Amino acid sequence: MFMTDWTQWIGRVETRDDLVTAAPVRGLTATLDREAAEVIPGMALPPLWHWLYFLPSERQSGIGADGHAKRGDFLPPVPLPRRMWAASEFEFRAPVRVGDAVRRTSTIVDVTHKQGRTGPLAFVKVRHEIRRNDDADPAIVEFHDIVYRQARQPGDVDPPPVVAPPATWQREIVPDDVLLFRYSALTFNGHRIHYDRRYVTEVEGYPGLIVHGPLIATLLLDLLRRHRPEADVAAFSFRARRPTFDLHPFSVCAAPDTDPRKVRLWGADHEGWLTMDAVATLR
């Protein structure tokens, strides 16, 4: 049934239009604890800040139990209850600027499933192409991997953690309720795992609120901007390795790669375990 029904979603396309306005840029600047700067037309967005646009706009009656839009419209109706942002890859081909009229074309390129250690898993891969002002070629190409899994069961054992490597640059982040709320608000993300402590602990079985994967990825590239403000990121990829909870501070870290065009970045929890790894490729 999985292979017959869910693969029918491959090739499905969704298009959204937006305008790159200044207010979300000011909001994320404050949320990342950066000094405020004047946001003027023509200013280029930092990498990943395009996530401030093309926000979901599902009617309240169309929201599912987890706070996301109900499944079966653009994304397939995978019946597994837990949904996580697993990984992404980006090509930043041209800058997106404040004032640009932008269009995002999203295509489901793959739907697969496998049996994991703790039960069935489903993976959906979406390709996003973002164009500016009716350009023929995309300014940003993004591949977004979503994983669905069953509810946590008694006796489930987490995979063994991996020790994070030594860092050249490092910043400690305190993921309090306000930080998670502000990022959820900026991205209009209703997923209850980020703000509803009763839901995330009693329904999904996690010990605390989960820090957004995209927020951690944004903090990683923000760390690069703080130490290498001249860096021009041409490509970026990240993969979540372990959930990060709001129960303790965590760190975003970076170190130069043996390839001078690349920088390795990662997240580490309070015990030093790797939570996300990433690579930025510079022009």
Side-chain angles (χ1 to χ4, degrees):
M1 187 275 289
F2 179 94
M3 296 304 293
T4 300
D5 293 341
W6 294 354
T7 55
Q8 294 177 8
W9 264 258
I10 295 175
R12 187 165 294 207
V13 177
E14 177 186 75
T15 300
R16 290 178 180 267
D17 294 302
D18 211 336
L19 181 67
V20 180
T21 54
V25 176
R26 296 190 189 100
L28 187 55
T29 299
T31 300
L32 298 182
D33 204 24
R34 299 185 66 93
E35 290 289 337
E38 184 179 7
V39 181
I40 59 174
M43 172 184 149
L45 296 183
L48 301 185
W49 288 39
H50 67 281
W51 281 334
L52 295 171
Y53 305 95
F54 311 107
L55 303 185
S57 55
E58 188 67 36
R59 293 174 57 185
Q60 187 67 20
S61 58
I63 297 299
D66 63 356
H68 272 309
K70 294 176 182 177
R71 305 169 193 178
D73 182 11
F74 175 61
L75 293 174
V78 179
L80 300 170
R82 293 198 290 174
R83 174 176 11 184
M84 300 292 289
W85 191 313
S88 281
E89 299 177 13
F90 305 85
E91 296 176 17
F92 299 105
R93 301 180 180 180
V96 173
R97 301 181 183 278
V98 174
D100 283 346
V102 285
R103 169 168 290 184
R104 187 185 72 184
T105 303
S106 305
T107 307
I108 296 178
V109 296
D110 197 19
V111 182
T112 58
H113 76 107
K114 70 177 184 179
Q115 188 70 21
R117 295 180 312 103
T118 59
L121 301 169
F123 299 89
V124 178
K125 182 181 286 287
V126 182
R127 176 187 174 99
H128 300 293
E129 293 185 349
I130 296 173
R131 290 174 169 82
R132 314 165 304 161
N133 306 317
D134 297 321
D135 287 351
D137 297 323
I140 300 173
V141 176
E142 172 184 357
F143 287 94
H144 174 194
D145 293 334
I146 308 165
V147 61
Y148 300 83
R149 64 182 70 220
Q150 69 179 10
R152 191 173 182 88
Q153 304 297 314
D156 282 356
V157 178
D158 293 328
V162 176
V163 176
T168 303
W169 310 316
Q170 183 168 331
R171 181 184 174 206
E172 184 177 84
I173 307 295
V174 177
D176 61 18
D177 297 23
V178 177
L179 174 64
L180 301 191
F181 165 77
R182 293 178 89 181
Y183 190 76
S184 288
L186 282 167
T187 55
F188 205 53
N189 184 346
H191 199 181
R192 293 169 67 178
I193 63 173
H194 304 304
Y195 63 86
D196 187 335
R197 196 171 303 276
R198 184 202 61 78
Y199 172 85
V200 76
T201 57
E202 297 180 12
V203 177
E204 299 217 7
Y206 292 108
L209 298 177
I210 298 177
V211 181
H212 316 64
L215 173 57
I216 298 173
T218 301
L219 286 164
L220 290 177
L221 283 184
D222 181 68
L223 179 72
L224 176 60
R225 289 178 62 215
R226 290 170 186 266
H227 291 274
R228 295 274 302 275
E230 80 290 352
D232 186 4
V233 178
F236 180 67
S237 63
F238 73 86
R239 180 167 297 277
R241 299 296 184 185
R242 185 179 176 89
T244 299
F245 302 105
D246 73 329
L247 305 175
H248 304 280
F250 68 94
S251 296
V252 288
C253 311
D257 191 73
T258 53
D259 181 342
R261 293 182 60 244
K262 295 185 176 181
V263 177
R264 294 179 293 115
L265 305 108
W266 63 92
D269 67 17
H270 67 291
E271 295 181 301
W273 301 124
L274 184 71
T275 59
M276 177 178 287
D277 56 12
V279 175
T281 302
L282 310 181
R283 286 189 176 84

